[in-house]
Structures are given as structure tokens and as C-alpha cells.
Amino acid sequence: MPQVTNLRLIRDKNNSPIGKGTLHNALLNISASTRERAVKLNVVENDRLKRIISMCDKNKRRSDYVSSVVLQKAQRSLQELNAYKDVLNNDYSVSQFKTMDPRFTRQCAQTPRTVRRYNLETRIYHTGYGIQPFRPEINRRIHQTDPARITKIYKKVLLEKFKNESDLVIDRKLSTSSFFRMLEDKNNFKDYTYQRLNSPERSDEQYSQADPTERTTDSG
């Protein structure tokens, strides 16, 4: 009968592993469409995640910038307050006012420094203390107490102090007592027997110098 033939044909198609219209092919189509849908969803979610990360990074950079600006302003304000306190305690305390000296007159303020001090003290009499009038003194004190500047000056002083010692080679003919005295008398290295690096070749007699301590003893 045709119905039986059609049922058998449908059963054979469903049981067939390959071919158009088979169950296996339908499952493959469903799997492919599901995979394609998942890929599209992943792309959308990745774009959304990138936007969220970009927004978070932007907010973090903005918050870091604001925090750094606030911190710099706070540090600057603290430096100014410390410098202002130092200026008042060391230079502009009431006991140090020049205008309170009975012998002081307006004609005593002749140089720019004395004129500025006279103006500041007069302003303090009228309006009291304030940080704005002392702005040049505060900036000068901050510059003077800058750690980088102090380190640079200290380094320069050390280089000047030891530049005459760094290129010396002690003569082996120097006596032990003279050597120990030389170590205790670093400021007078040149008075002892020594050789300098990169100096022209000379004889030992030209290099030889008497120990200044021994020379003083002999002359005495």
C-alpha cells in the first residue's frame, strides 16, 4: 500500500546517516545555526565588555588625575605653611621688628631689603599677619629648603673636598708613622710624599718630600 511505502521511506530517511532531509542532516543544521547564534552573541558581549572596561579605565584615569592634583595641592599648601611658620619664627617675630626700635626712622629704610621689611611691618600693624604678603619670602624659603637643591649642593661640596684625594697614589717609601699621620691629616695630603695619577714620569728624588711633621721636628 502507498501509506506503508511512505512510512517505510520516511523510516529509511530518518535512519540514513547522510543525505538531504535526513535526521542527521537536520541535527547538523540545528547545531550550525545554534553555533552561529552563539558566535554572534559572543561578539555582542565582547563589544559590551570592551565598552565597560574602557569606561572603567577612563574613570580610573580621571580619579587618579584628580587624586594626584589634590595631593600635589595639599603638599604645596603644607610646604607653604611650614615655610610661612619658619619665616615668622626666624625673621618676622614681633621681637625682631625693626620699626619697634626707638632709633628707627623712615630714612633708615634705604635698600630694597630694608624698604620691603618696613612695608611688611607697617602692613602687619594695620591688617595683621597673613600669608599673601609673605609670598616672596615663602617661595624663597621653599627653594632654600628643597631636598634636591640641598643634595646637589652637598654633592658639589663633597666633590670639591675629595677631588684632590681621588687621584692620589701613596708612595710605598713613605714610613708607617708618616702614613698614619697622613690619614689623620687629610687636609694636608700635598705636604706628604705621594704620586699623582696621569702625571709625567719623574724620578723618585723628584717625588720625594719630607714628612711635614718630621721636618718640623728636625727644624725644632
Side-chain angles (χ1 to χ4, degrees), residues 81 130 154 208:
L81 289 176
Y154 186 66
S208 300

Side-chain angles (χ1 to χ4, degrees), residues 49-63:
L49 181 61
K50 289 180 180 179
R51 289 195 299 270
I52 294 175
I53 293 175
S54 177
M55 293 174 59
C56 292
D57 292 340
K58 183 178 180 180
N59 291 333
K60 184 177 183 302
R61 289 194 300 269
R62 182 177 179 276
S63 62

Side-chain angles (χ1 to χ4, degrees), residues 71-83:
L71 182 60
Q72 290 177 359
K73 289 184 177 180
Q75 291 177 346
R76 179 67 181 181
S77 299
L78 182 60
Q79 285 182 344
E80 291 179 352
L81 289 176
N82 291 333

Side-chain angles (χ1 to χ4, degrees), residues 2-94:
Q3 293 82 359
V4 176
T5 304
N6 292 335
L7 290 175
R8 185 179 299 172
L9 179 62
I10 293 173
R11 185 181 64 235
D12 293 340
K13 287 178 62 177
N14 291 335
N15 293 332
S16 177
I18 58 175
K20 184 178 180 180
T22 60
L23 179 61
H24 182 72
N25 193 29
L27 293 176
L28 291 178
N29 291 334
I30 294 173
S31 177
S33 61
T34 304
R35 180 182 295 275
E36 184 178 359
R37 191 181 305 111
V39 170
K40 291 181 179 179
L41 289 175
N42 288 336
V43 171
V44 174
E45 289 298 324
N46 287 334
D47 293 339
R48 178 172 173 270
L49 181 61
K50 289 180 180 179
R51 289 195 299 270
I52 294 175
I53 293 175
S54 177
M55 293 174 59
C56 292
D57 292 340
K58 183 178 180 180
N59 291 333
K60 184 177 183 302
R61 289 194 300 269
R62 182 177 179 276
S63 62
D64 291 343
Y65 173 76
V66 172
S67 300
S68 63
V69 171
V70 172
L71 182 60
Q72 290 177 359
K73 289 184 177 180
Q75 291 177 346
R76 179 67 181 181
S77 299
L78 182 60
Q79 285 182 344
E80 291 179 352
L81 289 176
N82 291 333
Y84 177 59
K85 179 180 177 181
D86 191 30
V87 168
L88 293 186
N89 291 335
N90 296 329
D91 298 331
Y92 284 93
S93 61
V94 177

Side-chain angles (χ1 to χ4, degrees), residues 10-196:
I10 293 173
R11 185 181 64 235
D12 293 340
K13 287 178 62 177
N14 291 335
N15 293 332
S16 177
I18 58 175
K20 184 178 180 180
T22 60
L23 179 61
H24 182 72
N25 193 29
L27 293 176
L28 291 178
N29 291 334
I30 294 173
S31 177
S33 61
T34 304
R35 180 182 295 275
E36 184 178 359
R37 191 181 305 111
V39 170
K40 291 181 179 179
L41 289 175
N42 288 336
V43 171
V44 174
E45 289 298 324
N46 287 334
D47 293 339
R48 178 172 173 270
L49 181 61
K50 289 180 180 179
R51 289 195 299 270
I52 294 175
I53 293 175
S54 177
M55 293 174 59
C56 292
D57 292 340
K58 183 178 180 180
N59 291 333
K60 184 177 183 302
R61 289 194 300 269
R62 182 177 179 276
S63 62
D64 291 343
Y65 173 76
V66 172
S67 300
S68 63
V69 171
V70 172
L71 182 60
Q72 290 177 359
K73 289 184 177 180
Q75 291 177 346
R76 179 67 181 181
S77 299
L78 182 60
Q79 285 182 344
E80 291 179 352
L81 289 176
N82 291 333
Y84 177 59
K85 179 180 177 181
D86 191 30
V87 168
L88 293 186
N89 291 335
N90 296 329
D91 298 331
Y92 284 93
S93 61
V94 177
S95 60
Q96 295 176 338
F97 276 12
K98 304 299 182 182
T99 53
M100 296 186 68
D101 189 349
R103 296 170 298 179
F104 179 83
T105 60
R106 180 63 181 85
Q107 288 73 22
C108 295
Q110 298 294 333
T111 63
R113 183 176 180 180
T114 55
V115 170
R116 173 162 179 78
R117 187 176 184 91
Y118 171 78
N119 293 334
L120 282 175
E121 292 182 3
T122 304
R123 183 167 183 172
I124 291 172
Y125 291 146
H126 290 86
T127 61
Y129 284 99
I131 193 172
Q132 290 300 328
F134 292 92
R135 186 65 61 182
E137 286 77 9
I138 291 173
N139 294 334
R140 189 182 307 113
R141 189 59 55 88
I142 291 176
H143 176 69
Q144 291 174 351
T145 57
D146 185 15
R149 178 177 176 272
I150 295 175
T151 302
K152 184 177 180 180
I153 295 175
Y154 186 66
K155 181 179 179 180
K156 183 178 180 180
V157 171
L158 288 180
L159 289 176
E160 290 292 334
K161 180 180 179 181
F162 294 105
K163 70 178 182 179
N164 292 329
E165 303 177 14
S166 60
D167 59 346
L168 297 180
V169 177
I170 305 302
D171 191 354
R172 294 179 180 272
K173 296 181 180 180
L174 191 66
S175 63
T176 304
S177 59
S178 299
F179 176 74
F180 283 109
R181 280 195 295 271
M182 181 191 65
L183 294 180
E184 298 176 356
D185 191 15
K186 293 183 178 180
N187 294 329
N188 297 319
F189 266 174
K190 294 182 179 181
D191 295 333
Y192 292 84
T193 302
Y194 67 89
Q195 296 178 359
R196 278 191 176 274

